[in-house]
Amino acid sequence: QVQLVESGGGLVQAGGSLRLSCAASGSIFTTYVIAWHRQVPGNQRELVASINRAGSTNYADSVKGRFTISRDNAKNTVYLKMNSLKPEDTAVYYCAAGLAGPHYWGQGLQVTVSS
């Protein structure tokens, strides 16, 4: 059974920080690219950051320098540390796993940044 279990969303003031966690089943974690996407109602889901099994990372321009994606191999968990949050970062954040694009999705977490 493929599972991506997310945690860590919530409400934060602008300028604050949050850390999202995505716990993946072992086979996914060691094989697939793990990514965070986000979606605002009425908009397309967009890639925020990704990390492959070698630890190489990729970020959307809008979050570079503020967000950091990382992985803990011992815990099969990928983290998204979000600093200097802005109201425009408000969205539902999804963890995703796949080889050539996302194939599996988590349930989504609401992140709300108040001004």
Side-chain angles (χ1 to χ4, degrees):
Q1 180 76 13
V2 171
Q3 281 194 313
L4 296 171
V5 180
E6 303 147 330
S7 60
L11 172 66
V12 64
Q13 287 188 331
S17 299
L18 279 175
R19 190 180 76 162
L20 307 183
S21 300
C22 175
S25 55
S27 60
I28 291 178
F29 192 82
T30 57
T31 304
Y32 288 2
V33 173
I34 309 293
W36 287 96
H37 297 247
R38 66 186 181 187
Q39 188 171 25
V40 176
N43 290 2
Q44 286 190 335
R45 196 169 293 187
E46 63 173 358
L47 175 67
V48 175
S50 65
I51 186 166
N52 67 14
R53 59 182 179 175
S56 295
T57 58
N58 181 51
Y59 296 93
D61 288 343
S62 59
V63 306
K64 281 181 181 176
R66 299 188 299 121
F67 290 11
T68 303
I69 190 169
S70 62
R71 59 193 296 152
D72 184 335
N73 292 336
K75 296 182 179 180
N76 284 4
T77 300
V78 168
Y79 302 101
L80 184 69
K81 182 65 186 300
M82 306 185 292
N83 295 326
S84 302
L85 282 161
K86 305 175 182 180
E88 50 264 44
D89 293 318
T90 295
V92 177
Y93 284 71
Y94 296 89
C95 179
L99 290 174
H103 188 69
Y104 301 104
W105 293 92
Q107 78 277 12
L109 292 171
Q110 178 66 48
V111 171
T112 302
V113 184
S114 62
S115 57

Short mmCIF file of all heavy atoms in Angstrom, two decimals, residues 2 4 24-35 50-55 71 78 96-104:
data_model
loop_
_atom_site.label_atom_id
_atom_site.label_comp_id
_atom_site.label_asym_id
_atom_site.label_seq_id
_atom_site.Cartn_x
_atom_site.Cartn_y
_atom_site.Cartn_z
N VAL A 2 0.67 2.09 -0.98
CA VAL A 2 1.44 3.33 -1.07
C VAL A 2 0.83 4.36 -0.14
O VAL A 2 -0.38 4.57 -0.15
CB VAL A 2 1.42 3.87 -2.51
CG1 VAL A 2 2.02 5.25 -2.56
CG2 VAL A 2 2.15 2.91 -3.43
N LEU A 4 1.49 8.36 1.60
CA LEU A 4 2.18 9.62 1.86
C LEU A 4 1.38 10.31 2.94
O LEU A 4 0.24 10.71 2.71
CB LEU A 4 2.25 10.49 0.61
CG LEU A 4 3.04 9.95 -0.58
CD1 LEU A 4 2.82 10.81 -1.81
CD2 LEU A 4 4.52 9.87 -0.25
N ALA A 24 6.77 8.80 3.95
CA ALA A 24 6.48 7.94 2.81
C ALA A 24 6.83 6.50 3.13
O ALA A 24 7.75 6.23 3.90
CB ALA A 24 7.26 8.41 1.59
N SER A 25 6.09 5.57 2.53
CA SER A 25 6.43 4.15 2.70
C SER A 25 7.80 3.91 2.07
O SER A 25 8.21 4.59 1.14
CB SER A 25 5.37 3.26 2.08
OG SER A 25 5.15 3.59 0.73
N GLY A 26 8.49 2.90 2.58
CA GLY A 26 9.90 2.72 2.28
C GLY A 26 10.24 2.62 0.81
O GLY A 26 11.21 3.22 0.36
N SER A 27 9.46 1.88 0.05
CA SER A 27 9.79 1.68 -1.36
C SER A 27 9.69 2.98 -2.15
O SER A 27 10.46 3.23 -3.06
CB SER A 27 8.88 0.63 -1.97
OG SER A 27 7.52 1.05 -1.87
N ILE A 28 8.74 3.82 -1.77
CA ILE A 28 8.60 5.11 -2.44
C ILE A 28 9.78 5.99 -2.10
O ILE A 28 10.39 6.64 -2.95
CB ILE A 28 7.29 5.80 -2.01
CG1 ILE A 28 6.09 5.08 -2.56
CG2 ILE A 28 7.29 7.25 -2.44
CD1 ILE A 28 4.79 5.68 -2.13
N PHE A 29 10.10 6.02 -0.84
CA PHE A 29 11.11 6.96 -0.37
C PHE A 29 12.45 6.71 -1.03
O PHE A 29 13.18 7.64 -1.34
CB PHE A 29 11.23 6.86 1.15
CG PHE A 29 12.03 7.96 1.75
CD1 PHE A 29 11.47 9.19 2.01
CD2 PHE A 29 13.37 7.77 2.08
CE1 PHE A 29 12.21 10.22 2.56
CE2 PHE A 29 14.11 8.79 2.63
CZ PHE A 29 13.54 10.02 2.88
N THR A 30 12.80 5.46 -1.23
CA THR A 30 14.13 5.14 -1.76
C THR A 30 14.18 5.17 -3.28
O THR A 30 15.27 5.11 -3.84
CB THR A 30 14.58 3.76 -1.27
OG1 THR A 30 13.61 2.79 -1.65
CG2 THR A 30 14.75 3.74 0.24
N THR A 31 13.07 5.26 -3.93
CA THR A 31 13.03 5.15 -5.39
C THR A 31 12.60 6.43 -6.09
O THR A 31 13.19 6.81 -7.10
CB THR A 31 12.08 4.01 -5.81
OG1 THR A 31 12.49 2.81 -5.17
CG2 THR A 31 12.09 3.83 -7.32
N TYR A 32 11.58 7.07 -5.55
CA TYR A 32 10.93 8.15 -6.28
C TYR A 32 11.45 9.53 -5.91
O TYR A 32 12.04 9.73 -4.85
CB TYR A 32 9.43 8.13 -5.97
CG TYR A 32 8.66 6.99 -6.59
CD1 TYR A 32 9.27 6.01 -7.34
CD2 TYR A 32 7.28 6.92 -6.41
CE1 TYR A 32 8.54 4.98 -7.89
CE2 TYR A 32 6.54 5.90 -6.97
CZ TYR A 32 7.18 4.93 -7.71
OH TYR A 32 6.45 3.93 -8.26
N VAL A 33 11.17 10.48 -6.79
CA VAL A 33 11.32 11.89 -6.46
C VAL A 33 10.14 12.26 -5.55
O VAL A 33 8.99 11.91 -5.84
CB VAL A 33 11.30 12.77 -7.72
CG1 VAL A 33 11.28 14.25 -7.36
CG2 VAL A 33 12.48 12.44 -8.62
N ILE A 34 10.41 12.95 -4.46
CA ILE A 34 9.38 13.42 -3.55
C ILE A 34 9.29 14.93 -3.72
O ILE A 34 10.32 15.62 -3.74
CB ILE A 34 9.70 13.09 -2.08
CG1 ILE A 34 10.03 11.62 -1.90
CG2 ILE A 34 8.53 13.50 -1.18
CD1 ILE A 34 8.89 10.67 -2.15
N ALA A 35 8.09 15.43 -3.84
CA ALA A 35 7.91 16.85 -4.11
C ALA A 35 6.77 17.42 -3.27
O ALA A 35 5.89 16.69 -2.82
CB ALA A 35 7.64 17.08 -5.59
N SER A 50 11.22 20.00 -4.95
CA SER A 50 11.35 18.55 -5.08
C SER A 50 12.74 18.12 -4.66
O SER A 50 13.69 18.92 -4.67
CB SER A 50 11.06 18.10 -6.51
OG SER A 50 12.05 18.62 -7.40
N ILE A 51 12.84 16.83 -4.31
CA ILE A 51 14.13 16.26 -3.93
C ILE A 51 14.18 14.83 -4.43
O ILE A 51 13.21 14.08 -4.29
CB ILE A 51 14.35 16.36 -2.40
CG1 ILE A 51 15.76 15.91 -2.02
CG2 ILE A 51 13.30 15.56 -1.63
CD1 ILE A 51 16.14 16.30 -0.58
N ASN A 52 15.31 14.46 -5.06
CA ASN A 52 15.40 13.09 -5.54
C ASN A 52 16.16 12.22 -4.54
O ASN A 52 16.59 12.68 -3.48
CB ASN A 52 16.02 13.06 -6.94
CG ASN A 52 17.48 13.49 -6.96
OD1 ASN A 52 18.14 13.58 -5.93
ND2 ASN A 52 17.98 13.75 -8.16
N ARG A 53 16.32 10.96 -4.90
CA ARG A 53 16.91 10.02 -3.93
C ARG A 53 18.38 10.33 -3.67
O ARG A 53 18.91 9.93 -2.64
CB ARG A 53 16.74 8.60 -4.41
CG ARG A 53 17.36 8.30 -5.75
CD ARG A 53 17.10 6.86 -6.14
NE ARG A 53 17.66 6.53 -7.45
CZ ARG A 53 17.64 5.31 -7.97
NH1 ARG A 53 17.08 4.32 -7.32
NH2 ARG A 53 18.17 5.10 -9.15
N ALA A 54 19.02 11.08 -4.57
CA ALA A 54 20.41 11.48 -4.36
C ALA A 54 20.51 12.76 -3.53
O ALA A 54 21.62 13.18 -3.18
CB ALA A 54 21.11 11.69 -5.70
N GLY A 55 19.36 13.39 -3.27
CA GLY A 55 19.37 14.61 -2.49
C GLY A 55 19.41 15.89 -3.30
O GLY A 55 19.47 16.99 -2.73
N ARG A 71 15.49 15.70 3.37
CA ARG A 71 15.00 14.35 3.64
C ARG A 71 15.77 13.73 4.78
O ARG A 71 16.96 13.99 4.96
CB ARG A 71 15.10 13.48 2.38
CG ARG A 71 16.49 13.34 1.82
CD ARG A 71 16.44 12.73 0.42
NE ARG A 71 15.93 11.38 0.46
CZ ARG A 71 15.27 10.80 -0.56
NH1 ARG A 71 15.06 11.47 -1.67
NH2 ARG A 71 14.85 9.56 -0.45
N VAL A 78 10.29 13.41 4.24
CA VAL A 78 10.75 14.62 3.55
C VAL A 78 10.12 15.81 4.25
O VAL A 78 8.94 15.78 4.61
CB VAL A 78 10.36 14.59 2.07
CG1 VAL A 78 10.57 15.95 1.41
CG2 VAL A 78 11.16 13.53 1.32
N ALA A 96 3.89 14.74 -2.94
CA ALA A 96 3.69 13.87 -4.09
C ALA A 96 4.95 13.07 -4.34
O ALA A 96 6.05 13.50 -4.02
CB ALA A 96 3.34 14.69 -5.33
N ALA A 97 4.78 11.89 -4.94
CA ALA A 97 5.91 11.03 -5.26
C ALA A 97 5.72 10.48 -6.66
O ALA A 97 4.61 10.16 -7.08
CB ALA A 97 6.02 9.90 -4.26
N GLY A 98 6.84 10.37 -7.39
CA GLY A 98 6.77 9.83 -8.73
C GLY A 98 8.14 9.74 -9.35
O GLY A 98 9.12 10.18 -8.76
N LEU A 99 8.18 9.17 -10.54
CA LEU A 99 9.45 9.06 -11.25
C LEU A 99 9.58 10.16 -12.31
O LEU A 99 10.51 10.94 -12.29
CB LEU A 99 9.58 7.69 -11.89
CG LEU A 99 9.78 6.52 -10.91
CD1 LEU A 99 9.74 5.19 -11.64
CD2 LEU A 99 11.08 6.68 -10.15
N ALA A 100 8.64 10.23 -13.21
CA ALA A 100 8.61 11.29 -14.23
C ALA A 100 7.35 12.10 -14.00
O ALA A 100 6.41 12.01 -14.76
CB ALA A 100 8.66 10.69 -15.61
N GLY A 101 7.34 12.86 -12.92
CA GLY A 101 6.13 13.58 -12.54
C GLY A 101 5.44 12.87 -11.40
O GLY A 101 5.70 11.70 -11.12
N PRO A 102 4.53 13.56 -10.71
CA PRO A 102 3.86 12.97 -9.55
C PRO A 102 2.91 11.84 -9.94
O PRO A 102 2.17 11.95 -10.91
CB PRO A 102 3.09 14.15 -8.95
CG PRO A 102 2.94 15.13 -10.06
CD PRO A 102 4.12 14.96 -10.94
N HIS A 103 2.96 10.78 -9.15
CA HIS A 103 2.11 9.63 -9.38
C HIS A 103 1.23 9.35 -8.18
O HIS A 103 0.10 8.92 -8.32
CB HIS A 103 2.96 8.40 -9.71
CG HIS A 103 2.17 7.22 -10.16
ND1 HIS A 103 1.52 7.18 -11.36
CD2 HIS A 103 1.92 6.04 -9.55
CE1 HIS A 103 0.90 6.02 -11.48
NE2 HIS A 103 1.12 5.31 -10.40
N TYR A 104 1.77 9.57 -7.00
CA TYR A 104 1.03 9.39 -5.76
C TYR A 104 0.94 10.74 -5.06
O TYR A 104 1.87 11.54 -5.10
CB TYR A 104 1.74 8.38 -4.85
CG TYR A 104 1.92 7.02 -5.47
CD1 TYR A 104 3.16 6.62 -5.96
CD2 TYR A 104 0.85 6.13 -5.55
CE1 TYR A 104 3.33 5.36 -6.52
CE2 TYR A 104 1.01 4.88 -6.11
CZ TYR A 104 2.25 4.50 -6.60
OH TYR A 104 2.42 3.27 -7.16
#
